[in-house]
Amino acid sequence: MFVLGLTGSIGMGKSTTAQLFTELGVPVYDADATVHRLYEREAVAAIEQAFPGTTGAGGVDREKLSTHVVGNAPAMKRLESIVHPMLRAHEKEFLTGAEQAGALVAVLDIPLLFETGAENRVDAVLVVSAPEEVQHARILARPNMTAAKLETILARQMHDADKRARADFVVDTSNGLDSAREQIRHVLAKVATMPRRRS
């Protein structure tokens, strides 16, 4: 089975691209959705122990947790040391299930793929991109988003140009769904002939 890493900065259309893969019958692992589930269940006790007062009846309170970890590198490292092993276990489970189901390609949707070194766990990387003005317009149209918040988010992510330079494939989402769908079909045709390279 070929494992394709999917990534892209905020506002580039990564979630929509992941959905298009799903529509084409390709199994997609969503790292963000898995984090949400961990914050509701298995990570709650460990996070409460590391960051007292950050959880409640509904699990981890992301707002409270962010006051502890945003801008605090050692705290962020501690949080990652709790969450990342759990994420990896779910990822392995997903890949095993996809392979057993006979999938020829599986997608790992990981927002911080390059930033966390996850490119070593995939056979190729697809970066979802769009012109900067399209990206900013999409993000600033979101509820409660401000220019200052946007700058903070972008500062934590690798620059789009750097991601594109390291990608095996780039899907441009600025020309609508049909264009993106066609680009994805092209990617799937290409990966069918590519060698596996994950370590």
Side-chain angles (χ1 to χ4, degrees):
M1 186 176 72
F2 193 95
V3 180
L4 182 65
L6 174 67
T7 195
S9 300
I10 183 172
M12 292 300 195
K14 186 176 59 61
S15 300
T16 303
T17 303
Q19 189 57 47
L20 293 175
F21 273 106
T22 303
E23 281 175 21
L24 291 168
V26 178
V28 176
Y29 167 81
D30 184 335
D32 262 357
T34 307
V35 169
H36 278 278
R37 287 199 298 277
L38 293 176
Y39 279 11
E40 288 167 5
R41 298 198 281 275
E42 64 193 276
V44 176
I47 289 175
E48 177 59 35
Q49 193 176 356
F51 306 100
T54 59
T55 68
V60 174
D61 183 321
R62 294 172 82 101
E63 288 290 313
K64 285 181 181 170
L65 181 61
S66 69
T67 63
H68 287 265
V69 299
V70 173
N72 181 337
M76 187 60 90
K77 279 264 181 288
R78 197 175 336 139
L79 176 63
E80 287 170 353
S81 73
I82 295 166
V83 177
H84 285 182
M86 294 180 186
L87 271 174
R88 288 296 298 280
H90 282 276
E91 184 185 295
K92 278 185 179 155
E93 203 176 290
F94 162 82
L95 290 173
T96 302
E99 194 142 33
Q100 285 171 352
L104 298 177
V105 180
V107 170
L108 297 182
D109 174 356
I110 304 176
L112 299 175
L113 183 136
F114 289 122
E115 293 87 338
T116 58
E119 75 265 33
N120 300 321
R121 304 202 302 275
V122 299
D123 297 312
V125 175
L126 185 158
V127 167
V128 182
S129 187
E132 197 173 276
E133 61 273 16
V134 174
Q135 176 196 28
H136 287 209
R138 285 174 179 170
I139 303 165
L140 291 170
R142 296 179 182 186
N144 305 319
M145 184 54 72
T146 63
K149 266 190 196 173
L150 171 57
E151 286 312 311
T152 305
I153 294 165
L154 292 176
R156 288 196 4 243
Q157 300 186 344
M158 182 185 288
H159 194 277
D160 178 55
D162 297 329
K163 286 180 181 170
R164 280 186 278 117
R166 292 172 67 174
D168 298 283
F169 303 100
V170 176
V171 167
D172 182 341
T173 62
S174 62
N175 296 308
L177 286 178
D178 289 341
S179 166
R181 203 175 274 116
E182 197 47 48
Q183 292 173 72
I184 289 166
R185 285 201 180 98
H186 173 73
V187 168
L188 289 173
K190 287 279 286 185
V191 301
T193 64
M194 284 174 68
R196 312 293 182 263
R197 71 160 189 232
R198 69 198 116 119
S199 46

